[in-house]
Amino acid sequence: MKKLKWIFGIVLIVTVFAGLFVRNFNKDGVFERTEFLFDTSCTVSAYGENAQAAVDAVFERLGEIHKKTDFFSESSEVFSLNSAKADEKVSISDDLAKIFEVAMEVQKASGGSFDPTVAAVVELWNFSGEGRIPEEAEIAEKLSWVGGELLSFEGKNTVKKSADGVKADLGGAAKGYAGDEAIRILKEYNVSGAVVDLGGNITCMGENPKTENKKWRIGLQKPFSPTGEIDGVVELSEGAVVTSGTYQRYFEKDGKKYHHIIDPKTGYPSKSPFSSVTVVAKNGLTADCLATACFVLGEEKGRELAERYGAEIYFTD
Ligand code: AMP
Ligand code: MG
């Protein structure tokens, strides 16, 4: 019996190690790890000698950013801000300060089409749960707590809300910032090339050993394709390719789809003839805010805004 236990123990250890090995390496010399963070599947793939240590360090950092920005976690900074009373001074970390800085800039530049304070209304729709269509009166009530001017900043690290009910949702920006931080760390570790995929937010750096021109080829997913068909390809050496799409999060009621990108002016899912918008820019945080903003703005104004930021933009049916 004792011998059997030993054999069982050894088999278990070998299986676990084999499992880890298969999960993390593949035969092309890439180190790859996938975790569920930011309510989505996140994969980091890196090449080079320090790839494993680099990817592990990246996930530690992604975990930190996720913890601070998680709308639902009572221990997050966003939750503390959202539970604060009007005029209470709320201290925020440098991470949140950096996200807010760009988010509020895009809020202004987009005329409020991107607005983190849309949270009060987003919450009503329960996209992270089963989904629910709010009453018109509920939406009207919560809309009074939506608007960039309802948050005021003292320096970079102190925020105040102008009413108790004002809330912030960094879901449209945090993954972009996380992607930039991942690239910063991967460079610190001197990896030769890497791709960071945070559920529709791609950032990359260095050389792709698998292409002749060493560039990364990022496929743009065909919206609603069950097999993940590709609708186009963007080639780049370094930067961000960020997609905001209706297919990324939605629920269906009575045959109608309700998606998660809310027009802060109406409180309803933004009406658009397009299923997704992809922004290609140097910086992931900017690209993330812009993609959400441009989806709401529509093609003409969206292109204008992207151009002002020197970003490329693609609208997909
Ligand atoms: P993204 O996937 O980057 O387009 O961000 C969508 C997420 O950001 C949603 O799931 C909401 O949490 C939040 N959100 C929805 N509409 C907006 C908006 N108009 N401005 C800012 N954040 C939004
Ligand atoms: Mg976004």
Side-chain angles (χ1 to χ4, degrees):
M1 193 62 193
K2 210 171 175 184
K3 201 173 167 189
L4 261 181
K5 270 188 190 164
W6 268 103
I7 293 171
F8 178 73
I10 290 167
V11 168
L12 188 73
I13 290 166
V14 169
T15 312
V16 168
F17 272 100
L20 284 176
F21 194 76
V22 169
R23 187 171 68 93
N24 290 328
F25 289 99
N26 75 33
K27 60 184 185 316
D28 296 326
V30 60
F31 183 83
E32 194 168 292
R33 185 172 151 189
T34 300
E35 301 280 339
F36 196 81
L37 286 167
F38 301 102
D39 218 6
T40 191
S41 172
C42 300
T43 299
V44 181
S45 315
Y47 292 85
E49 255 180 52
N50 298 328
Q52 179 166 359
V55 173
D56 289 344
V58 164
F59 270 102
E60 200 153 308
R61 184 77 180 111
L62 295 182
E64 266 173 35
I65 299 169
H66 174 231
K67 226 172 146 195
K68 290 177 182 183
T69 56
D70 188 354
F71 183 84
F72 297 101
S73 161
E74 290 188 14
S75 57
S76 80
E77 286 188 48
V78 166
F79 197 93
S80 302
L81 174 62
N82 292 346
S83 335
K85 296 270 174 239
D87 295 324
E88 194 181 315
K89 287 186 180 179
V90 181
S91 296
I92 54 170
S93 63
D94 287 343
D95 283 330
L96 250 76
K98 284 179 191 158
I99 298 173
F100 268 119
E101 192 180 355
V102 176
M104 299 319 281
E105 183 197 297
V106 176
Q107 190 274 337
K108 282 201 192 78
S110 66
S113 290
F114 176 83
D115 193 332
T117 67
V118 75
V121 177
V122 170
E123 206 178 9
L124 289 177
W125 289 89
N126 191 23
F127 290 108
S128 298
E130 279 185 2
R132 141 178 198 270
I133 306 167
E135 300 291 330
E136 272 179 40
E138 286 178 279
I139 291 183
E141 185 196 341
K142 301 284 181 180
L143 275 179
S144 62
W145 292 327
V146 176
E149 70 286 354
L150 305 177
L151 289 179
S152 56
F153 292 80
E154 281 179 18
K156 285 186 173 167
N157 297 85
T158 306
V159 198
K160 282 194 310 187
K161 313 190 305 191
S162 65
D164 293 357
V166 176
K167 290 187 175 184
D169 176 353
L170 297 180
K175 291 198 296 285
Y177 175 69
D180 291 335
E181 280 297 284
I183 294 300
R184 184 181 62 73
I185 291 166
L186 290 158
K187 282 182 177 173
E188 265 176 25
Y189 276 80
N190 281 324
V191 303
S192 57
V195 177
V196 177
D197 179 355
L198 310 179
N201 280 55
I202 316 275
T203 45
C204 57
M205 54 78 60
E207 292 188 346
N208 180 354
K210 289 197 226 153
T211 56
E212 226 171 272
N213 63 5
K214 303 293 177 206
K215 289 190 177 181
W216 301 101
R217 306 189 81 233
I218 313 293
L220 307 183
Q221 200 187 320
K222 196 170 191 160
F224 298 107
S225 161
T227 51
E229 279 168 273
I230 297 301
D231 214 27
V233 173
V234 174
E235 273 200 348
L236 75 172
S237 301
E238 183 169 330
V241 182
V242 175
T243 300
S244 276
T246 57
Y247 62 94
Q248 288 166 333
R249 196 177 290 270
Y250 64 92
F251 65 85
E252 262 181 278
K253 283 258 155 77
D254 302 326
K256 208 176 157 204
K257 287 190 172 80
Y258 296 87
H259 66 81
H260 69 142
I261 303 171
I262 300 294
D263 184 339
K265 303 236 166 24
T266 64
Y268 283 85
S270 174
K271 284 196 180 128
S272 172
F274 300 102
S275 296
S276 70
V277 172
T278 298
V279 170
V280 183
K282 290 210 163 59
N283 179 274
L285 172 55
T286 308
D288 197 358
C289 298
L290 285 179
T292 313
C294 293
F295 185 91
V296 177
L297 280 173
E299 194 172 13
E300 204 187 319
K301 288 184 177 165
R303 283 193 193 284
E304 271 172 34
L305 179 65
E307 210 169 283
R308 264 192 274 156
Y309 278 86
E312 285 169 45
I313 188 162
Y314 304 93
F315 288 84
T316 310
D317 291 339

